[in-house]
């Protein structure tokens, strides 16, 4: 099959360009840019809309196995396709935990059958994510794990963690950490400060993130392992991240779209859809982290998609489960940063697509000839009001419910084949 996009606004994060042009797809790969349409091509008139590499969303929770009622690979794939996500990377926080090659093989087979988009998997760093015994990192690598993490369960035993990092270093495996001091952050529901005090909610100081990151950097300096911080959300952590990179440590960092577009005041009158891990930060922290993304200090933006059912959220704020869905809202929420003048579209797609693909060693996130034709066609300016009940995820816990957003996905392609096309209004 030959597909030719005419009159498209090509967003190329690798070249850093945003320009009108055309793109040709042959046999599932990008064959040429700004060349005449080949004979027999199916032509798509983009009508000046944006055409960009499909989003690579790093850190998605799928409820298989153990919580399929919250999210399945089928529903996650539908949400991803509708959100312009052509590849998503799952977390190992399943029930049971993804900590054996057999479990990983099962998930890969499920995803291959059920999901419309590409799915890759992270595996647990320690058995059961309990922080006591190293998982089978070598066998899990052979089974297809792209990285290793215990997620939000921070390993307290530094000797165990150092052994895991040393072994990962010997295999070239990537370790994903959650920078947070587990003692300070235990039981916290919001970021500490005046707002938390007025609401009577247990808070955690932003220094808990800085302390957790400093500890991890000391261990990375000692072991030489490859490391990615899943979420950097506070201004106080940014100088330490900058020093680590300048000192030559193999370190990258990410942030969730919710921490880039929302702040602690959005919690309002105990709105549990805004309860996240880590909690939403101050406006000063939010602006500092946006600047870090713009400068390239923070490498990756992800949804940190965490589906929760109504029973988990319809509780007092302190007792409600943390997390929010984000696969389908990642693109329009991220475009807030573009419309507000914080980031250009190439900068945004560098963090949404190119950088996560490069860090994970995936052939994705580019518009160059020979790259897979994993693409998203979207109207960056189309306004709409989000109704959470229209989301394709099984769970509807979106903090953007009722929010005015700009940016609609018109079509999503995986290897040149359409996996989502918006119906004409």
């Amino acid at each position: 099959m030959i597909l030719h996009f005419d009159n498209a606004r090509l967003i190329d994060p690798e070249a850093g360009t945003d320009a009108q042009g055309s793109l040709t797809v042959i046999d599932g790969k990008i064959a040429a840019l700004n060349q005449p349409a080949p004979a027999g091509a199916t032509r798509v008139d983009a009508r000046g809309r944006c055409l960009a590499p499909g989003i690579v969303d790093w850190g998605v929770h799928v409820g298989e196995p153990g919580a399929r009622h919250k999210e399945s690979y089928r529903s996650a794939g539908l949400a991803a396709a509708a959100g312009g996500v052509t590849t998503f990377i799952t977390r190992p926080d399943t029930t049971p935990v993804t900590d054996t090659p057999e479990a990983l093989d099962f998930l890969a087979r499920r995803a291959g059958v059920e999901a419309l988009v590409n799915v890759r998997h992270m595996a647990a760093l320690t058995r059961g994510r309990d922080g006591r015994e190293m998982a089978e990192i070598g066998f899990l690598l052979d089974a297809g794990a792209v990285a290793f993490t215990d997620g939000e369960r921070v390993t307290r035993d530094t000797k165990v963690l150092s052994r895991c990092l040393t072994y990962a270093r010997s295999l070239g495996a990537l370790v994903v950490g959650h920078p947070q001091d587990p003692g300070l952050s235990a039981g916290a529901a919001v970021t500490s400060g005046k707002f938390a005090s007025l609401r009577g909610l247990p808070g955690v100081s932003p220094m808990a993130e800085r302390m957790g990151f400093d500890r991890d950097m000391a261990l990375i300096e000692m072991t030489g392992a490859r490391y990615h911080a899943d979420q950097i959300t506070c201004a106080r952590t940014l100088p330490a991240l900058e020093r680590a990179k300048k000192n030559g440590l193999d370190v990258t960092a990410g942030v969730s779209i919710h921490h880039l577009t929302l702040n602690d005041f959005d919690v309002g009158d105990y709105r549990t859809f805004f309860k996240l891990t880590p909690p939403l930060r101050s406006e000063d922290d939010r602006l500092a982290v946006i600047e870090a993304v713009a400068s390239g200090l923070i490498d990756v933006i992800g949804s940190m998609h965490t589906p929760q059912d109504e029973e988990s959220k319809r509780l007092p704020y302190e007792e409600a489960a943390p997390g929010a869905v984000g696969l389908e809202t990642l693109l329009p929420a991220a475009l807030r940063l573009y419309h507000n003048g914080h980031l250009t579209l190439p900068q945004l797609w560098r963090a949404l697509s190119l950088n996560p693909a490069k860090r994970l060693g995936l052939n994705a996130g580019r518009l160059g000839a020979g790259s897979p034709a994993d693409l998203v066609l979207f109207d960056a300016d189309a306004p709409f009001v989000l109704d959470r009940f229209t989301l394709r995820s099984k769970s509807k816990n979106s903090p953007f419910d009722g929010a005015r957003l700009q940016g609609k996905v018109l079509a999503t392609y995986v290897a040149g084949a359409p996996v989502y096309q918006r119906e004409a209004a």
Side-chain angles (χ1 to χ4, degrees):
M1 180 180 177
I2 304 176
L3 194 62
H4 184 80
F5 294 89
D6 277 316
N7 192 27
R9 183 179 168 188
L10 300 178
I11 311 301
D12 189 337
E14 193 167 34
T17 56
D18 173 357
Q20 292 293 121
S22 64
L23 183 145
T24 306
V25 175
I26 299 178
D27 294 333
K29 293 186 177 181
I30 297 172
L33 277 74
N34 301 319
Q35 297 296 319
T42 300
R43 302 184 71 151
V44 178
D45 183 1
R47 295 188 295 170
R49 271 64 175 272
C50 298
L51 184 67
I55 294 171
V56 178
D57 192 6
W58 187 351
V60 170
H61 174 75
V62 178
E64 293 192 53
R68 198 169 182 273
H69 64 287
K70 294 184 179 182
E71 195 78 284
S72 66
Y73 277 104
R74 177 65 178 171
S75 61
L78 289 168
V85 175
T86 54
T87 301
F88 65 81
I89 317 301
T90 66
R91 308 196 306 256
D93 51 350
T94 50
T95 306
V97 171
T98 310
D99 60 359
T100 65
E102 294 79 13
L104 189 60
D105 180 67
F106 168 77
L107 295 182
R109 290 173 184 272
R110 285 290 298 167
V113 171
E114 296 291 330
L116 293 174
V117 301
N118 304 309
V119 182
R120 301 297 297 272
H121 308 272
M122 294 190 287
L125 184 65
T126 64
R127 291 183 183 275
R129 299 170 60 229
D130 288 336
R132 293 196 297 264
E133 183 182 356
M134 182 169 60
E136 300 171 338
I137 294 176
F139 291 137
L140 286 161
L141 266 180
D142 292 341
V146 295
F148 297 85
T149 182
D150 284 345
E152 294 160 6
R153 291 191 189 175
V154 178
T155 301
R156 294 171 180 264
D157 191 325
T158 51
K159 182 168 286 188
V160 170
L161 183 53
S162 67
R163 287 173 179 166
C164 292
L165 290 169
T166 300
Y167 192 62
R169 168 69 177 85
S170 70
L171 297 172
L174 178 65
V175 174
V176 178
H178 181 68
Q180 200 72 213
D181 180 272
L184 281 177
S185 58
V190 292
T191 300
S192 59
K194 183 177 180 180
F195 180 79
S197 299
L198 288 172
R199 289 291 183 268
L201 293 170
V204 57
S205 168
M207 284 302 293
E209 178 180 286
R210 167 67 183 278
M211 291 166 65
F213 185 77
D214 283 343
R215 184 200 71 157
D216 286 359
M217 289 306 95
L219 291 170
I220 296 302
E221 185 176 352
M222 182 175 76
T223 62
R226 301 172 61 224
Y227 178 91
H228 176 80
D230 64 354
Q231 293 197 71
I232 297 296
T233 62
C234 299
R236 288 179 175 176
T237 314
L238 297 176
L241 174 61
E242 187 173 15
R243 283 195 303 273
K245 289 190 171 188
K246 285 184 176 178
N247 289 338
L249 301 183
D250 193 350
V251 172
T252 52
V255 64
S256 87
I257 189 59
H258 301 115
H259 288 88
L260 289 171
T261 55
L262 305 168
N263 65 30
D264 54 357
F265 290 131
D266 285 304
V267 172
D269 292 327
Y270 309 101
R271 299 167 69 190
T272 58
F273 282 2
F274 292 84
K275 184 179 181 182
L276 307 171
T277 301
L280 291 172
R281 307 302 193 182
S282 70
E283 180 66 3
D284 287 343
D285 281 327
R286 186 184 78 88
L287 293 174
V289 172
I290 290 173
E291 178 56 36
V293 174
S295 69
L297 180 60
I298 290 179
D299 308 87
V300 173
I301 299 172
S303 70
M304 294 306 292
H305 179 80
T306 306
Q308 300 287 4
D309 54 24
E310 296 290 315
E311 291 77 11
S312 300
K313 282 292 189 181
R314 298 298 184 190
L315 294 169
Y317 194 91
E318 189 174 345
E319 299 173 20
V325 292
L327 274 168
E328 200 168 338
T329 55
L330 176 56
L331 185 147
L335 287 173
R336 281 185 169 184
L337 304 173
Y338 163 69
H339 290 298
N340 290 337
H342 294 301
L343 297 170
T344 65
L345 289 178
Q347 285 177 316
L348 201 51
W349 253 257
R350 179 187 67 193
L352 287 170
S353 189
L354 177 63
N355 284 349
K358 286 172 63 177
R359 188 57 164 160
L360 293 166
L362 306 179
N363 187 15
R366 295 175 170 87
L367 286 187
S371 299
D374 297 343
L375 303 166
V376 55
L377 180 66
F378 64 98
D379 184 340
D381 300 314
F384 68 101
V385 176
L386 180 72
D387 176 359
R388 69 188 180 99
F389 293 105
T390 66
L391 296 175
R392 288 155 181 81
S393 292
K394 285 189 175 183
S395 298
K396 312 297 182 183
N397 53 309
S398 173
F400 297 112
D401 183 39
R404 296 179 183 275
L405 298 170
Q406 271 184 280
K408 290 183 178 180
V409 175
L410 305 177
T412 304
Y413 301 84
V414 173
V419 293
Y420 171 80
Q421 289 183 307
R422 177 176 288 275
E423 296 180 2

